[in-house]
Amino acid sequence: MRRPNYHHGDLANALTTAATDLAREGGPEAVVLREAARQVGVSATAAYRHFAGQGELLHGVKLQAMDLLVERLHQELARTPALPDPAAEAARRLRALGYGYLSFALAEPGLFRTAFCPPVRGEPTDQSGTPSDWPVPDLNEVTPYAMLVEALDAFVQAGILRPQSRPWAEVFAWSAVHGLATLMLDGPLGHVTPAERDQAIERTLDGVAAGLAAI
Amino acid sequence: MRRPNYHHGDLANALTTAATDLAREGGPEAVVLREAARQVGVSATAAYRHFAGQGELLHGVKLQAMDLLVERLHQELARTPALPDPAAEAARRLRALGYGYLSFALAEPGLFRTAFCPPVRGEPTDQSGTPSDWPVPDLNEVTPYAMLVEALDAFVQAGILRPQSRPWAEVFAWSAVHGLATLMLDGPLGHVTPAERDQAIERTLDGVAAGLAAI
DNA sequence: TGTACATCAGTGAACGCGCGTTCACTGATGTAC
DNA sequence: TGTACATCAGTGAACGCGCGTTCACTGATGTAC
C-alpha cells in the first residue's frame, strides 16, 4: 500500500491552487506558505522542492489571478453580440472591458487585490534575467492592458478617437476603472448601497467613453 | 534632576508623529507601535497610556496623512491665480485638485498608501458609536471629496456640466485620478520614465475634464 | 529479469524573528486638608 | 505652608503567536548494467 502524499505528482499546482484560494478569501496577506501546505496535507518543507520561497508562490497566485481576470473580460466581451456599426462596436467592447474588470473586482476582491498588489521581496525576476520589482515590466505584457489597446485602436479606426489623442488613452481609461475598483473595495466607496454602486459604475464608464470621444 | 522621559507631556502627539514618519518611509505596514515608541525613546508599554492599541495609532496616522493631502490640495489651488471666466476658473480648480492629488501621491507614496489603506481590525469606531470599517463612512466627511464637490458645483454653475449629469461626477473624477496614482505607485505604471509619467497625468486630467464637459 | 545505487520528493523538529500585548511595578505629580 | 495620599505616566520582563526558512533525515522511484 502506497503511503499517501509521497510523490504527490502535482504538488506545485496543488500548492498554487491552495494559495489562490487563500488569496481569494483574504487577499495577498493571506498567501501563507505554511497554510497552503497545510491545506494540501503536506509539510511546509515540501513546498521548497517546487518554489524558491513564499515570494515565488505569491507570484504564481498573481499570475493565476490575472488569468482569471482575463477570462472574465473575455466572457463579458462575448456576452453581447458584436454590432454592425464600427463606432457602436468599439464602444460596446470598451464598455464590456470596463464592466468585466469592475465586476471581477467586486466578485473576487481578494484575487483582484492580489493581482495588483505591490511586488514583494523574493518575487522572481523577469525573463531577461535582470531583477524586476513588477513581474511584467513591459506594459504590453499585461494582458488586460493589451485587450484595452485593441479596443482603443478600434476607436480610432471607427473615427471616434482622433489619432493625435490616441497616446495614453489606455492609461486614462484604465485609471478610471481601476480607481473605481479600489475605491469600492478598500476605500470610502465600500459603504454605498448596491444601487448607488451601479450608478457610480455607469457614470464612470460613461465618463470614460465621453472623455475619449470628446478630445 | 528630573529623570528624562518621565511625564513626557506630549507623548500621544510624539508617537503619532513618529508613526507618521514610519508610514512616510514604508507605508501602512511600517506603522509598528514598538518602533514608534523606540524612536520617541520610550518603552512600548507607554504607548498604551495614550492609545488603545496599534489600530488607534494607525488611525491617527491616517488622519494626519489625510490632512497633509488636503494641505497639498490647497497649495495647488493657490499656486495659480483665479480666472475671471467662470468656466475657465472651474476647469482650473478641478485640474489643480487632480494635479495636487497626483503630486502628493508621487511625493509621499508611503503617506498616500496609508491614507487610503484598507481599514484594520482595532481601528476606532465613528462618533455615532456604531462600529465602522472605514473611519469616515460618510463620503462628505472625506475632505478631498468635499473639495471635489465644490469644484464640480462650479462646473454646473459655469454651464459646462449639465445638471442631469451632475450625480456621481465626483466619483468619476476621483476614480480616474486615484486609479492613476495607484497604478503609478504600486502597479505597472511604476516603471515608466518621468516624461512618460507626465504625459499620462496630462492625458488623464484632460480626459476627466472632457468626460465631464461632454455628457 | 534482477539488482545496486543515485536521485527525487517527501518528513518532522527546530530556529530566529519581531510583533502586539499583558503584568506587576515605581517614581513623579497633583490635591485635600 | 506642610504633609498624606491618590492618581498619573512611565518601566522592564515576559508571553504567545505564526511566520519563513534550514537542517539532517528517509522512503519511493527510476535507471544502468
Side-chain angles (χ1 to χ4, degrees):
Chain A
M1 183 174 176
R2 279 177 54 182
R3 197 163 148 186
N5 293 336
Y6 255 72
H7 291 207
H8 180 288
D10 200 26
L11 187 51
N13 278 328
L15 286 170
T16 303
T17 300
T20 300
D21 284 341
L22 295 175
R24 175 175 281 120
E25 294 305 316
E29 311 85 41
V31 178
V32 166
L33 184 144
R34 296 177 76 110
E35 181 60 28
R38 241 172 265 139
Q39 304 248 343
V40 175
V42 114
S43 74
T45 320
Y48 288 83
R49 295 283 164 204
H50 303 275
F51 298 95
Q54 192 267 350
E56 203 167 291
L57 178 63
L58 177 57
H59 183 69
V61 174
K62 278 190 180 189
L63 295 180
Q64 199 150 318
M66 195 63 87
D67 280 352
L68 290 168
L69 168 57
V70 169
E71 192 180 307
R72 179 75 191 84
L73 295 181
H74 279 126
Q75 272 176 21
E76 193 63 28
L77 277 175
R79 207 176 55 78
T80 57
L83 302 174
D85 176 44
E89 169 62 8
R92 180 191 74 87
R93 280 169 60 188
L94 182 70
R95 199 175 186 90
L97 289 178
Y99 190 78
Y101 196 93
L102 289 165
S103 61
F104 180 80
L106 289 169
E108 296 285 9
L111 293 182
F112 182 83
R113 279 194 200 100
T114 306
F116 290 101
C117 75
V120 198
R121 242 182 97 82
E123 255 186 80
T125 63
D126 64 3
Q127 53 276 59
S128 70
T130 57
S132 97
D133 289 328
W134 174 262
V136 256
D138 184 354
L139 268 182
N140 294 307
E141 292 176 25
V142 182
T143 314
Y145 185 81
M147 296 174 80
L148 188 51
V149 168
E150 268 184 60
L152 291 179
D153 284 345
F155 260 67
V156 175
Q157 278 155 31
I160 313 175
L161 177 60
R162 293 183 312 167
Q164 63 263 41
S165 299
R166 179 67 185 78
W168 301 103
E170 296 88 354
V171 169
F172 163 56
W174 192 9
S175 293
V177 168
H178 188 79
L180 182 56
T182 65
L183 289 175
M184 289 192 302
L185 292 189
D186 295 332
L189 258 47
H191 291 275
V192 303
T193 67
E196 288 174 329
R197 211 183 52 199
D198 289 346
Q199 289 173 31
I201 290 174
E202 292 302 311
R203 184 65 177 86
T204 299
L205 295 180
D206 286 346
V208 170
L212 290 171
I215 309 187
Chain B
M1 181 173 175
R2 278 176 56 182
R3 194 163 150 185
N5 294 334
Y6 255 71
H7 290 204
H8 180 287
D10 200 26
L11 188 50
N13 278 328
L15 286 170
T16 304
T17 300
T20 300
D21 284 340
L22 295 175
R24 177 175 280 121
E25 295 303 317
E29 313 85 39
V31 178
V32 166
L33 185 143
R34 296 178 77 111
E35 181 59 28
R38 241 171 266 141
Q39 304 249 343
V40 175
V42 114
S43 73
T45 320
Y48 287 83
R49 295 283 163 205
H50 304 274
F51 298 95
Q54 191 268 348
E56 204 167 289
L57 178 62
L58 177 57
H59 183 70
V61 174
K62 278 189 180 190
L63 296 180
Q64 198 150 319
M66 194 64 86
D67 280 351
L68 289 169
L69 169 59
V70 168
E71 192 181 306
R72 179 75 190 83
L73 296 181
H74 279 127
Q75 271 177 19
E76 191 64 29
L77 278 174
R79 205 176 56 80
T80 58
L83 301 174
D85 176 45
E89 169 62 8
R92 180 191 75 87
R93 282 170 59 189
L94 181 70
R95 197 173 187 90
L97 290 178
Y99 190 78
Y101 197 92
L102 288 166
S103 62
F104 181 80
L106 289 170
E108 296 285 10
L111 294 181
F112 182 83
R113 281 196 199 99
T114 306
F116 291 102
C117 76
V120 196
R121 241 183 97 81
E123 256 187 78
T125 63
D126 64 2
Q127 55 275 58
S128 71
T130 56
S132 94
D133 289 328
W134 175 259
V136 256
D138 183 354
L139 268 183
N140 296 309
E141 292 177 27
V142 183
T143 314
Y145 185 82
M147 296 174 80
L148 189 51
V149 167
E150 268 184 60
L152 290 179
D153 284 346
F155 259 68
V156 174
Q157 280 156 29
I160 315 177
L161 178 60
R162 296 183 312 171
Q164 64 264 39
S165 299
R166 178 67 184 79
W168 301 103
E170 298 88 353
V171 169
F172 163 56
W174 192 8
S175 293
V177 169
H178 188 79
L180 182 54
T182 65
L183 289 176
M184 287 192 304
L185 291 189
D186 296 333
L189 257 48
H191 292 275
V192 302
T193 67
E196 288 174 331
R197 211 183 53 199
D198 289 346
Q199 289 173 31
I201 290 174
E202 292 304 309
R203 184 65 178 85
T204 299
L205 295 179
D206 286 345
V208 170
L212 289 170
I215 308 188

